[in-house]
Amino acid sequence: MLQLANIKKSFNEKKVIKGIDLSVRKGEVVVIVGPSGSGKSTLLRMMNALEYPTEGDIRLEGESILYKDINGKHTSRNDKELSKFRAEIGMVFQGFHLFAHKTVLENIIEGPIYVRKIKKEQAIQEAEYLLKKVGLSDKRDQYPHSLSGGQQQRIAIARALAMKPKMLLFDEPTSALDPELVGEVLIVMKELALEGMTMAVVTHEMGFAREVGDRVIFIDQGVIVQDAPPEKFFHTTNGNERIRKFLSTLS
Ligand code: ADP
Ligand code: MG
């Protein structure tokens, strides 16, 4: 589904991603973990072209999402192509990013109408189905500020799904939530995984990584230190000192 080949990324002179190869297969759930500042968000943002690698290539179903100018420097594709890629790879952020001045329903139908160009009636029908799926049908006409953080994040997930993405990226989707609201978001994500959604998830929720992840990828200082199935990653005999240290800092 998605292939990253020898990705490097610098900000000014600072090397943040130092050569990452990563493939995500269709239906796979890849959980990305690692210390703060290790490059997880930058990596995720490159996966849907919110950020461009300094070197390397990113392919969605075999097609490069990057564009190189005559100097070989990565530049943006044109806006139309870019919005097509962004629609195909949905992103859910730590801070929800809902439109504050739009109702829940309006938040969900905006993208389908303006980017997917579907009729409003159909967009509403699909949105109602998705609201039911995330358990928030009764919030349809409310504004985001009247919802809890967990509810807002479930709406953000419904909004991402409304674009019918091929893949979903989650960047610490539960990190901004009060502890008692984390579970309701993880349940929605787990259901998506069981339905076969292809997902890359940056999270510190090791229970989720263990239970839902097909692979756990540990990133430190811009490189992949380990890429392993959870049973291996969490095994007490995991020989990697940096990983053991990281795991001991959580909870
Ligand atoms: P993580 O998500 O793992 O905490 P990030 O990908 O956010 O890490 O950041 C990795 C490093 O890149 C950090 O040192 C951060 O300061 C730097 N960085 C991220 N985005 C930018 C940017 N837009 N400009 C300059 N430095 C950045
Ligand atoms: Mg981050």
Side-chain angles (χ1 to χ4, degrees), residues 2-249:
L2 192 72
Q3 225 176 352
L4 279 66
N6 192 27
I7 294 297
K8 297 181 183 167
K9 173 73 176 174
S10 301
F11 291 108
N12 305 316
E13 295 304 302
K14 192 177 176 216
K15 292 182 178 145
V16 169
I17 302 291
K18 301 170 189 166
I20 281 189
D21 292 284
L22 172 62
S23 293
V24 183
R25 283 181 286 275
K26 193 168 191 287
E28 204 174 23
V29 178
V30 170
V31 177
I32 301 169
V33 304
S36 175
S38 57
K40 305 180 299 296
S41 294
T42 304
L43 190 66
L44 219 56
R45 290 167 61 78
M46 288 192 285
M47 288 183 186
N48 80 340
L50 284 172
E51 206 80 75
Y52 294 96
T54 320
E55 270 182 61
D57 200 7
I58 300 178
R59 291 173 176 273
L60 177 64
E61 293 183 320
E63 193 186 349
S64 180
I65 70 170
L66 305 170
Y67 223 50
K68 289 179 185 175
D69 68 15
I70 47 171
N71 302 313
K73 195 176 168 325
H74 286 134
T75 55
S76 163
R77 281 174 168 270
N78 66 44
D79 287 351
K80 199 175 154 212
E81 289 176 319
L82 210 53
S83 64
K84 174 176 160 270
F85 280 120
R86 296 231 176 101
E88 287 176 339
I89 305 185
M91 181 113 163
V92 174
F93 302 91
Q94 181 176 338
F96 327 133
H97 293 199
L98 295 173
F99 303 117
H101 57 287
K102 290 186 194 293
T103 65
V104 162
L105 183 78
E106 288 164 352
N107 264 278
I108 299 174
I109 64 176
E110 167 105 2
I113 291 172
Y114 292 102
V115 181
R116 282 178 54 217
K117 311 281 184 205
I118 68 169
K119 286 215 179 68
K120 190 171 179 183
E121 301 75 63
Q122 193 193 336
I124 291 174
Q125 244 179 36
E126 290 179 8
E128 284 172 342
Y129 166 79
L130 290 170
L131 279 172
K132 206 161 156 191
K133 197 177 165 81
V134 298
L136 293 170
S137 297
D138 58 328
K139 306 296 183 194
R140 193 192 114 132
D141 298 315
Q142 301 207 19
Y143 286 87
H145 66 82
S146 68
L147 307 182
S148 73
Q151 290 169 339
Q152 289 188 54
Q153 194 60 298
R154 283 147 67 197
I155 298 299
I157 294 172
R159 184 176 63 172
L161 288 171
M163 296 301 282
K164 299 201 188 298
K166 290 178 174 160
M167 179 170 178
L168 276 184
L169 311 175
F170 295 83
D171 193 357
E172 300 200 28
T174 60
S175 295
L177 301 176
D178 291 334
E180 72 272 22
L181 303 177
V182 168
E184 66 190 59
V185 173
L186 294 180
I187 285 171
V188 169
M189 291 168 62
K190 184 178 168 184
E191 280 167 5
L192 289 177
L194 291 173
E195 288 168 12
M197 176 60 78
T198 309
M199 296 163 46
V201 183
V202 174
T203 185
H204 296 300
E205 294 294 330
M206 294 302 129
F208 179 87
R210 193 191 290 265
E211 197 188 341
V212 184
D214 293 302
R215 281 153 65 201
V216 181
I217 290 175
F218 182 80
I219 296 188
D220 195 11
Q221 298 176 26
V223 295
I224 293 180
V225 175
Q226 194 168 66
D227 178 346
E231 49 279 17
K232 182 167 174 227
F233 186 85
F234 291 108
H235 201 280
T236 46
T237 62
N238 188 345
N240 192 289
E241 184 58 32
R242 279 198 277 182
I243 295 175
R244 280 209 306 274
K245 201 170 147 215
F246 171 75
L247 291 175
S248 73
T249 64

